[in-house]
Amino acid sequence: MERSIVHMDLDTFFVSCVRLQNSGLERIPLIVGGGDRGVVASCSYEARKFGVHAAMPIKMALRLCPEARVVKGDMELFSRYSNTVSQIIEERAPVMEKASIDEFYLDITGMDRFHGSYRWTNELSALITSETGLPISFALSVNKTVSKIATGEGKPKGNLEIPQSLVQQFLNPLSIRKIPMVGDATFKLLSRIAIRNIQTLAEMPVNVLQEMIGRNGIELWKKANGIDNNPVEPYRERKSLSTEDTFHQDTTDLVFLRSVLCTMVEKLAYQLRSEQWLTSNVTVKIRYSNFDTETRQVTLAYTSSDHTLTKAVVETFDKLYQRRMSLRLVGIRFSKLVRGSYQINLFEDTQEMMSLYQAMDKIKNRFGAGAVMRGSGIYQTKVM
């Protein structure tokens, strides 16, 4: 049976949420992001006409569009709207995967026997907008790759259907940048040998791509040919991330203990970013040599950045650890998680900090989570 896979994407999600709270922001260039040294998290179509785009420094965006209004992001507000949309879809779709805070995949294979799949999806889209006020685009096709690309091509408020017989015809003229796994480095590499549209890529010998790019070359060739057998993974919301360490020898060494905590934060924060989570609640746990166990938690603005979480964890630990008795265990937990499609907290961090995290995560993705670490973790590595 031919699969029916839907990709749904909330249009300019952050902007739409902000406008629902303040109708005076309708139809004006709008930027959602941090302060003067922050970056653009999202922008309205009115701002995009001036060349403004996500991840651009706010200062540069305002030079391009001086009349733009800058509004600080509210992750709690965005999460609430996202959860409402998730609930509407979950109650009606056979299988839903929440890919990010504003992006969903649905597997409605076989629904044509009872309803028209496109008609059903169109009705669901209209229901989401009427219930929440949020505009949404969707595309229906035979797999996740084609439906995601088609959603992008149909924005804003586009509703496309690409049956199997039209998949290659739809993909061929598009830039290879439209394929989700093609980043700047891959695009530049392929451009050097005149591969810029999907048709040229699809007609390349797969073994040549594999030699150029490695294992990803095969996946890239498949996607260019409209082949993607990845399933829609049922949605399961993670509640928290945690880790703890029991020492070989009980200790009161504060430098060592803080170093252990810093290393824990770095590992969990990298996991947050890798899985596209943000946290707003940090809990620190300690266990004394007599097995007494204490915890303390703190609430903070949604984030996944090491420096913000490290500061919160160390300050909480210092308030919690007052007895100066030897410790046998320390642990941390990040909870109240929400989906965030950006690797760091774009509402708080600067362009420089964003570039640093992207560089560190790229090294970790390629060589492993321990390939690069902050100096704060070096002491405990030496000691242990």
Side-chain angles (χ1 to χ4, degrees):
M1 182 184 296
E2 185 175 292
R3 291 201 298 164
S4 296
I5 307 298
V6 178
H7 177 259
M8 307 191 88
D9 194 348
L10 292 159
D11 294 326
T12 57
F13 176 56
F14 293 167
V15 169
S16 298
C17 292
V18 168
R19 284 175 167 171
L20 285 173
Q21 300 298 301
N22 184 355
S23 60
L25 298 175
E26 293 285 349
R27 294 183 294 279
I28 66 170
L30 185 63
I31 294 171
V32 179
D36 290 341
R37 297 186 65 240
V39 293
V40 177
S42 181
C43 58
S44 67
Y45 286 105
E46 293 86 355
R48 292 183 189 185
K49 292 177 182 177
F50 292 85
V52 179
H53 58 79
M56 173 183 285
I58 296 284
K59 286 185 177 180
M60 182 183 297
L62 289 176
R63 283 199 294 269
L64 292 173
C65 185
E67 61 267 42
R69 174 86 174 270
V70 179
V71 179
K72 188 172 181 179
D74 182 347
M75 205 62 211
E76 189 171 348
L77 171 70
F78 304 151
S79 177
R80 191 163 63 247
Y81 274 113
S82 176
N83 290 337
T84 300
V85 175
S86 300
Q87 187 174 359
I88 293 171
I89 298 174
E90 253 191 320
E91 289 174 352
R92 291 160 180 83
V95 184
M96 182 195 82
E97 175 183 333
K98 190 171 184 178
S100 70
I101 196 170
D102 59 354
E103 196 175 5
F104 310 84
Y105 289 102
L106 289 62
D107 189 337
I108 59 172
T109 302
M111 195 167 283
D112 263 331
R113 282 182 264 177
F114 311 102
H115 315 275
S117 294
Y118 180 82
R119 187 186 71 183
W120 180 88
T121 309
N122 203 45
E123 290 173 355
L124 176 61
S125 171
L127 177 65
I128 290 169
T129 300
S130 67
E131 292 280 329
T132 67
L134 297 169
I136 190 166
S137 296
F138 76 81
L140 169 65
S141 192
V142 294
N143 59 51
K144 294 168 82 171
T145 294
V146 180
S147 60
K148 180 176 175 64
I149 294 173
T151 304
E153 290 302 291
K155 277 179 168 284
K157 301 181 184 178
N159 303 326
L160 301 183
E161 181 177 14
I162 313 294
Q164 180 67 65
S165 59
L166 297 179
V167 165
Q168 209 60 50
Q169 181 180 328
F170 164 72
L171 292 175
N172 280 344
L174 301 178
S175 167
I176 59 174
R177 285 186 180 275
K178 301 290 184 177
I179 300 176
M181 65 186 296
V182 175
D184 289 339
T186 303
F187 178 76
K188 290 175 183 176
L189 177 64
L190 294 173
S191 292
R192 292 194 195 108
I193 57 172
I195 299 177
R196 295 184 179 87
N197 64 31
I198 291 179
Q199 181 173 359
T200 309
L201 181 61
E203 293 172 353
M204 278 282 291
V206 66
N207 59 310
V208 174
L209 282 173
Q210 187 174 10
E211 288 176 9
M212 287 181 62
I213 305 174
R215 184 176 60 186
N216 285 340
I218 299 175
E219 286 302 310
L220 192 56
W221 180 87
K222 286 180 178 179
K223 291 182 186 298
N225 281 279
I227 302 169
D228 179 5
N229 296 319
N230 290 318
V232 174
E233 302 285 354
Y235 172 58
R236 294 290 183 271
E237 194 69 275
R238 182 189 281 276
K239 299 299 183 183
S240 65
L241 286 173
S242 62
T243 186
E244 58 185 38
D245 191 356
T246 301
F247 309 127
H248 296 299
Q249 185 174 347
D250 298 350
T251 181
T252 59
D253 186 338
L254 286 174
V255 176
F256 168 72
L257 291 167
R258 290 179 184 132
S259 179
V260 171
L261 291 169
C262 289
T263 301
M264 288 179 171
V265 169
E266 188 169 1
K267 289 179 179 178
L268 286 190
Y270 170 62
Q271 188 176 349
L272 285 173
R273 296 191 296 273
S274 298
E275 298 181 13
Q276 296 187 329
W277 293 108
L278 299 170
T279 181
S280 67
N281 189 270
V282 169
T283 302
V284 177
K285 172 183 176 181
I286 59 175
R287 180 168 294 149
Y288 291 97
S289 54
N290 65 353
F291 287 88
D292 285 351
T293 303
E294 297 177 0
T295 62
R296 189 181 181 114
Q297 63 180 337
V298 63
T299 298
L300 61 163
Y302 282 100
T303 186
S304 61
S305 56
D306 296 14
H307 66 285
T308 304
L309 292 167
T310 298
K311 182 173 183 290
V313 165
V314 171
E315 288 179 354
T316 304
F317 169 76
D318 289 343
K319 292 175 183 177
L320 177 63
Y321 184 36
Q322 295 293 325
R323 292 164 64 180
R324 297 304 180 236
M325 184 189 298
S326 294
L327 293 181
R328 60 180 288 108
L329 175 150
V330 295
I332 58 174
R333 184 177 78 243
F334 298 155
S335 55
K336 295 186 179 177
L337 305 183
V338 299
R339 282 290 184 186
S341 56
Y342 299 96
Q343 292 200 335
I344 62 171
N345 184 353
L346 296 185
F347 310 132
E348 300 294 339
D349 296 322
T350 64
Q351 177 67 22
E352 294 84 358
M353 191 63 69
M354 178 179 176
S355 298
L356 172 64
Y357 281 115
Q358 288 175 339
M360 290 176 64
D361 287 350
K362 187 178 292 185
I363 294 171
K364 291 179 180 182
N365 291 339
R366 183 171 181 182
F367 299 107
V372 59
M373 61 188 298
R374 292 173 176 269
S376 54
I378 293 175
Y379 178 84
Q380 69 106 355
T381 301
K382 289 180 178 178
V383 172
M384 296 180 72

mmCIF file with all atom_site columns, all heavy atoms in Angstrom, residues 274-288:
data_model
loop_
_atom_site.group_PDB
_atom_site.id
_atom_site.type_symbol
_atom_site.label_atom_id
_atom_site.label_alt_id
_atom_site.label_comp_id
_atom_site.label_asym_id
_atom_site.label_entity_id
_atom_site.label_seq_id
_atom_site.pdbx_PDB_ins_code
_atom_site.Cartn_x
_atom_site.Cartn_y
_atom_site.Cartn_z
_atom_site.occupancy
_atom_site.B_iso_or_equiv
_atom_site.pdbx_formal_charge
_atom_site.auth_seq_id
_atom_site.auth_comp_id
_atom_site.auth_asym_id
_atom_site.auth_atom_id
_atom_site.pdbx_PDB_model_num
ATOM 1   N N   . SER A 1 274 ? 20.864 18.326 21.047 1.00 0.00 ? 274 SER A N   1
ATOM 2   C CA  . SER A 1 274 ? 20.809 17.268 20.035 1.00 0.00 ? 274 SER A CA  1
ATOM 3   C C   . SER A 1 274 ? 19.384 16.791 19.812 1.00 0.00 ? 274 SER A C   1
ATOM 4   O O   . SER A 1 274 ? 18.986 16.473 18.691 1.00 0.00 ? 274 SER A O   1
ATOM 5   C CB  . SER A 1 274 ? 21.688 16.083 20.454 1.00 0.00 ? 274 SER A CB  1
ATOM 6   O OG  . SER A 1 274 ? 23.035 16.457 20.555 1.00 0.00 ? 274 SER A OG  1
ATOM 7   N N   . GLU A 1 275 ? 18.603 16.726 20.891 1.00 0.00 ? 275 GLU A N   1
ATOM 8   C CA  . GLU A 1 275 ? 17.227 16.241 20.798 1.00 0.00 ? 275 GLU A CA  1
ATOM 9   C C   . GLU A 1 275 ? 16.225 17.392 20.691 1.00 0.00 ? 275 GLU A C   1
ATOM 10  O O   . GLU A 1 275 ? 15.017 17.165 20.713 1.00 0.00 ? 275 GLU A O   1
ATOM 11  C CB  . GLU A 1 275 ? 16.897 15.382 22.028 1.00 0.00 ? 275 GLU A CB  1
ATOM 12  C CG  . GLU A 1 275 ? 17.773 14.135 22.132 1.00 0.00 ? 275 GLU A CG  1
ATOM 13  C CD  . GLU A 1 275 ? 17.426 13.276 23.341 1.00 0.00 ? 275 GLU A CD  1
ATOM 14  O OE1 . GLU A 1 275 ? 16.359 13.510 23.961 1.00 0.00 ? 275 GLU A OE1 1
ATOM 15  O OE2 . GLU A 1 275 ? 18.215 12.365 23.663 1.00 0.00 ? 275 GLU A OE2 1
ATOM 16  N N   . GLN A 1 276 ? 16.733 18.619 20.597 1.00 0.00 ? 276 GLN A N   1
ATOM 17  C CA  . GLN A 1 276 ? 15.906 19.815 20.419 1.00 0.00 ? 276 GLN A CA  1
ATOM 18  C C   . GLN A 1 276 ? 14.934 20.034 21.577 1.00 0.00 ? 276 GLN A C   1
ATOM 19  O O   . GLN A 1 276 ? 13.736 20.161 21.418 1.00 0.00 ? 276 GLN A O   1
ATOM 20  C CB  . GLN A 1 276 ? 15.147 19.760 19.094 1.00 0.00 ? 276 GLN A CB  1
ATOM 21  C CG  . GLN A 1 276 ? 16.067 19.768 17.882 1.00 0.00 ? 276 GLN A CG  1
ATOM 22  C CD  . GLN A 1 276 ? 15.316 19.881 16.581 1.00 0.00 ? 276 GLN A CD  1
ATOM 23  O OE1 . GLN A 1 276 ? 14.187 19.408 16.463 1.00 0.00 ? 276 GLN A OE1 1
ATOM 24  N NE2 . GLN A 1 276 ? 15.927 20.488 15.584 1.00 0.00 ? 276 GLN A NE2 1
ATOM 25  N N   . TRP A 1 277 ? 15.532 20.074 22.786 1.00 0.00 ? 277 TRP A N   1
ATOM 26  C CA  . TRP A 1 277 ? 14.774 20.376 23.990 1.00 0.00 ? 277 TRP A CA  1
ATOM 27  C C   . TRP A 1 277 ? 15.290 21.670 24.609 1.00 0.00 ? 277 TRP A C   1
ATOM 28  O O   . TRP A 1 277 ? 16.459 22.032 24.458 1.00 0.00 ? 277 TRP A O   1
ATOM 29  C CB  . TRP A 1 277 ? 14.910 19.265 25.032 1.00 0.00 ? 277 TRP A CB  1
ATOM 30  C CG  . TRP A 1 277 ? 14.299 17.954 24.680 1.00 0.00 ? 277 TRP A CG  1
ATOM 31  C CD1 . TRP A 1 277 ? 14.955 16.806 24.351 1.00 0.00 ? 277 TRP A CD1 1
ATOM 32  C CD2 . TRP A 1 277 ? 12.903 17.640 24.639 1.00 0.00 ? 277 TRP A CD2 1
ATOM 33  N NE1 . TRP A 1 277 ? 14.053 15.804 24.103 1.00 0.00 ? 277 TRP A NE1 1
ATOM 34  C CE2 . TRP A 1 277 ? 12.790 16.280 24.273 1.00 0.00 ? 277 TRP A CE2 1
ATOM 35  C CE3 . TRP A 1 277 ? 11.741 18.372 24.870 1.00 0.00 ? 277 TRP A CE3 1
ATOM 36  C CZ2 . TRP A 1 277 ? 11.572 15.637 24.128 1.00 0.00 ? 277 TRP A CZ2 1
ATOM 37  C CZ3 . TRP A 1 277 ? 10.516 17.746 24.720 1.00 0.00 ? 277 TRP A CZ3 1
ATOM 38  C CH2 . TRP A 1 277 ? 10.440 16.387 24.367 1.00 0.00 ? 277 TRP A CH2 1
ATOM 39  N N   . LEU A 1 278 ? 14.429 22.317 25.376 1.00 0.00 ? 278 LEU A N   1
ATOM 40  C CA  . LEU A 1 278 ? 14.803 23.417 26.261 1.00 0.00 ? 278 LEU A CA  1
ATOM 41  C C   . LEU A 1 278 ? 14.274 23.071 27.640 1.00 0.00 ? 278 LEU A C   1
ATOM 42  O O   . LEU A 1 278 ? 13.232 22.442 27.771 1.00 0.00 ? 278 LEU A O   1
ATOM 43  C CB  . LEU A 1 278 ? 14.191 24.735 25.784 1.00 0.00 ? 278 LEU A CB  1
ATOM 44  C CG  . LEU A 1 278 ? 14.590 25.230 24.393 1.00 0.00 ? 278 LEU A CG  1
ATOM 45  C CD1 . LEU A 1 278 ? 13.708 26.408 23.987 1.00 0.00 ? 278 LEU A CD1 1
ATOM 46  C CD2 . LEU A 1 278 ? 16.042 25.623 24.349 1.00 0.00 ? 278 LEU A CD2 1
ATOM 47  N N   . THR A 1 279 ? 14.986 23.493 28.678 1.00 0.00 ? 279 THR A N   1
ATOM 48  C CA  . THR A 1 279 ? 14.561 23.213 30.044 1.00 0.00 ? 279 THR A CA  1
ATOM 49  C C   . THR A 1 279 ? 14.362 24.506 30.808 1.00 0.00 ? 279 THR A C   1
ATOM 50  O O   . THR A 1 279 ? 15.017 25.509 30.537 1.00 0.00 ? 279 THR A O   1
ATOM 51  C CB  . THR A 1 279 ? 15.599 22.344 30.788 1.00 0.00 ? 279 THR A CB  1
ATOM 52  O OG1 . THR A 1 279 ? 15.135 22.080 32.113 1.00 0.00 ? 279 THR A OG1 1
ATOM 53  C CG2 . THR A 1 279 ? 16.955 23.031 30.861 1.00 0.00 ? 279 THR A CG2 1
ATOM 54  N N   . SER A 1 280 ? 13.449 24.468 31.792 1.00 0.00 ? 280 SER A N   1
ATOM 55  C CA  . SER A 1 280 ? 13.232 25.644 32.634 1.00 0.00 ? 280 SER A CA  1
ATOM 56  C C   . SER A 1 280 ? 13.322 25.300 34.120 1.00 0.00 ? 280 SER A C   1
ATOM 57  O O   . SER A 1 280 ? 13.021 26.131 34.964 1.00 0.00 ? 280 SER A O   1
ATOM 58  C CB  . SER A 1 280 ? 11.859 26.268 32.353 1.00 0.00 ? 280 SER A CB  1
ATOM 59  O OG  . SER A 1 280 ? 10.823 25.393 32.767 1.00 0.00 ? 280 SER A OG  1
ATOM 60  N N   . ASN A 1 281 ? 13.735 24.061 34.428 1.00 0.00 ? 281 ASN A N   1
ATOM 61  C CA  . ASN A 1 281 ? 13.805 23.670 35.831 1.00 0.00 ? 281 ASN A CA  1
ATOM 62  C C   . ASN A 1 281 ? 15.044 22.800 36.059 1.00 0.00 ? 281 ASN A C   1
ATOM 63  O O   . ASN A 1 281 ? 15.244 21.797 35.375 1.00 0.00 ? 281 ASN A O   1
ATOM 64  C CB  . ASN A 1 281 ? 12.552 22.891 36.236 1.00 0.00 ? 281 ASN A CB  1
ATOM 65  C CG  . ASN A 1 281 ? 12.477 22.663 37.738 1.00 0.00 ? 281 ASN A CG  1
ATOM 66  O OD1 . ASN A 1 281 ? 12.971 21.661 38.232 1.00 0.00 ? 281 ASN A OD1 1
ATOM 67  N ND2 . ASN A 1 281 ? 11.873 23.582 38.461 1.00 0.00 ? 281 ASN A ND2 1
ATOM 68  N N   . VAL A 1 282 ? 15.876 23.220 37.008 1.00 0.00 ? 282 VAL A N   1
ATOM 69  C CA  . VAL A 1 282 ? 17.116 22.520 37.321 1.00 0.00 ? 282 VAL A CA  1
ATOM 70  C C   . VAL A 1 282 ? 17.054 22.014 38.760 1.00 0.00 ? 282 VAL A C   1
ATOM 71  O O   . VAL A 1 282 ? 16.727 22.783 39.670 1.00 0.00 ? 282 VAL A O   1
ATOM 72  C CB  . VAL A 1 282 ? 18.332 23.452 37.145 1.00 0.00 ? 282 VAL A CB  1
ATOM 73  C CG1 . VAL A 1 282 ? 19.588 22.811 37.717 1.00 0.00 ? 282 VAL A CG1 1
ATOM 74  C CG2 . VAL A 1 282 ? 18.532 23.799 35.674 1.00 0.00 ? 282 VAL A CG2 1
ATOM 75  N N   . THR A 1 283 ? 17.353 20.730 38.960 1.00 0.00 ? 283 THR A N   1
ATOM 76  C CA  . THR A 1 283 ? 17.390 20.144 40.302 1.00 0.00 ? 283 THR A CA  1
ATOM 77  C C   . THR A 1 283 ? 18.785 19.588 40.558 1.00 0.00 ? 283 THR A C   1
ATOM 78  O O   . THR A 1 283 ? 19.347 18.887 39.711 1.00 0.00 ? 283 THR A O   1
ATOM 79  C CB  . THR A 1 283 ? 16.366 19.006 40.451 1.00 0.00 ? 283 THR A CB  1
ATOM 80  O OG1 . THR A 1 283 ? 15.063 19.509 40.172 1.00 0.00 ? 283 THR A OG1 1
ATOM 81  C CG2 . THR A 1 283 ? 16.397 18.427 41.860 1.00 0.00 ? 283 THR A CG2 1
ATOM 82  N N   . VAL A 1 284 ? 19.341 19.909 41.723 1.00 0.00 ? 284 VAL A N   1
ATOM 83  C CA  . VAL A 1 284 ? 20.632 19.364 42.144 1.00 0.00 ? 284 VAL A CA  1
ATOM 84  C C   . VAL A 1 284 ? 20.403 18.406 43.314 1.00 0.00 ? 284 VAL A C   1
ATOM 85  O O   . VAL A 1 284 ? 19.629 18.717 44.227 1.00 0.00 ? 284 VAL A O   1
ATOM 86  C CB  . VAL A 1 284 ? 21.606 20.485 42.563 1.00 0.00 ? 284 VAL A CB  1
ATOM 87  C CG1 . VAL A 1 284 ? 22.926 19.884 43.061 1.00 0.00 ? 284 VAL A CG1 1
ATOM 88  C CG2 . VAL A 1 284 ? 21.866 21.429 41.389 1.00 0.00 ? 284 VAL A CG2 1
ATOM 89  N N   . LYS A 1 285 ? 21.057 17.264 43.248 1.00 0.00 ? 285 LYS A N   1
ATOM 90  C CA  . LYS A 1 285 ? 20.906 16.226 44.279 1.00 0.00 ? 285 LYS A CA  1
ATOM 91  C C   . LYS A 1 285 ? 22.267 15.917 44.886 1.00 0.00 ? 285 LYS A C   1
ATOM 92  O O   . LYS A 1 285 ? 23.262 15.809 44.171 1.00 0.00 ? 285 LYS A O   1
ATOM 93  C CB  . LYS A 1 285 ? 20.323 14.962 43.630 1.00 0.00 ? 285 LYS A CB  1
ATOM 94  C CG  . LYS A 1 285 ? 20.274 13.733 44.518 1.00 0.00 ? 285 LYS A CG  1
ATOM 95  C CD  . LYS A 1 285 ? 19.736 12.552 43.713 1.00 0.00 ? 285 LYS A CD  1
ATOM 96  C CE  . LYS A 1 285 ? 19.745 11.258 44.492 1.00 0.00 ? 285 LYS A CE  1
ATOM 97  N NZ  . LYS A 1 285 ? 19.239 10.109 43.684 1.00 0.00 ? 285 LYS A NZ  1
ATOM 98  N N   . ILE A 1 286 ? 22.323 15.800 46.213 1.00 0.00 ? 286 ILE A N   1
ATOM 99  C CA  . ILE A 1 286 ? 23.554 15.373 46.888 1.00 0.00 ? 286 ILE A CA  1
ATOM 100 C C   . ILE A 1 286 ? 23.221 14.278 47.901 1.00 0.00 ? 286 ILE A C   1
ATOM 101 O O   . ILE A 1 286 ? 22.126 14.237 48.449 1.00 0.00 ? 286 ILE A O   1
ATOM 102 C CB  . ILE A 1 286 ? 24.263 16.552 47.610 1.00 0.00 ? 286 ILE A CB  1
ATOM 103 C CG1 . ILE A 1 286 ? 23.343 17.181 48.666 1.00 0.00 ? 286 ILE A CG1 1
ATOM 104 C CG2 . ILE A 1 286 ? 24.736 17.582 46.610 1.00 0.00 ? 286 ILE A CG2 1
ATOM 105 C CD1 . ILE A 1 286 ? 24.046 18.263 49.492 1.00 0.00 ? 286 ILE A CD1 1
ATOM 106 N N   . ARG A 1 287 ? 24.179 13.382 48.106 1.00 0.00 ? 287 ARG A N   1
ATOM 107 C CA  . ARG A 1 287 ? 24.024 12.331 49.123 1.00 0.00 ? 287 ARG A CA  1
ATOM 108 C C   . ARG A 1 287 ? 25.284 12.323 49.979 1.00 0.00 ? 287 ARG A C   1
ATOM 109 O O   . ARG A 1 287 ? 26.405 12.204 49.466 1.00 0.00 ? 287 ARG A O   1
ATOM 110 C CB  . ARG A 1 287 ? 23.809 10.968 48.471 1.00 0.00 ? 287 ARG A CB  1
ATOM 111 C CG  . ARG A 1 287 ? 23.644 9.817  49.492 1.00 0.00 ? 287 ARG A CG  1
ATOM 112 C CD  . ARG A 1 287 ? 23.153 8.549  48.803 1.00 0.00 ? 287 ARG A CD  1
ATOM 113 N NE  . ARG A 1 287 ? 21.791 8.760  48.293 1.00 0.00 ? 287 ARG A NE  1
ATOM 114 C CZ  . ARG A 1 287 ? 21.310 8.155  47.195 1.00 0.00 ? 287 ARG A CZ  1
ATOM 115 N NH1 . ARG A 1 287 ? 22.063 7.311  46.519 1.00 0.00 ? 287 ARG A NH1 1
ATOM 116 N NH2 . ARG A 1 287 ? 20.068 8.387  46.802 1.00 0.00 ? 287 ARG A NH2 1
ATOM 117 N N   . TYR A 1 288 ? 25.082 12.461 51.297 1.00 0.00 ? 288 TYR A N   1
ATOM 118 C CA  . TYR A 1 288 ? 26.201 12.504 52.230 1.00 0.00 ? 288 TYR A CA  1
ATOM 119 C C   . TYR A 1 288 ? 26.728 11.096 52.507 1.00 0.00 ? 288 TYR A C   1
ATOM 120 O O   . TYR A 1 288 ? 26.104 10.090 52.151 1.00 0.00 ? 288 TYR A O   1
ATOM 121 C CB  . TYR A 1 288 ? 25.766 13.178 53.536 1.00 0.00 ? 288 TYR A CB  1
ATOM 122 C CG  . TYR A 1 288 ? 25.483 14.655 53.393 1.00 0.00 ? 288 TYR A CG  1
ATOM 123 C CD1 . TYR A 1 288 ? 24.178 15.124 53.221 1.00 0.00 ? 288 TYR A CD1 1
ATOM 124 C CD2 . TYR A 1 288 ? 26.516 15.585 53.443 1.00 0.00 ? 288 TYR A CD2 1
ATOM 125 C CE1 . TYR A 1 288 ? 23.902 16.478 53.104 1.00 0.00 ? 288 TYR A CE1 1
ATOM 126 C CE2 . TYR A 1 288 ? 26.261 16.949 53.319 1.00 0.00 ? 288 TYR A CE2 1
ATOM 127 C CZ  . TYR A 1 288 ? 24.961 17.386 53.149 1.00 0.00 ? 288 TYR A CZ  1
ATOM 128 O OH  . TYR A 1 288 ? 24.705 18.720 53.017 1.00 0.00 ? 288 TYR A OH  1
#
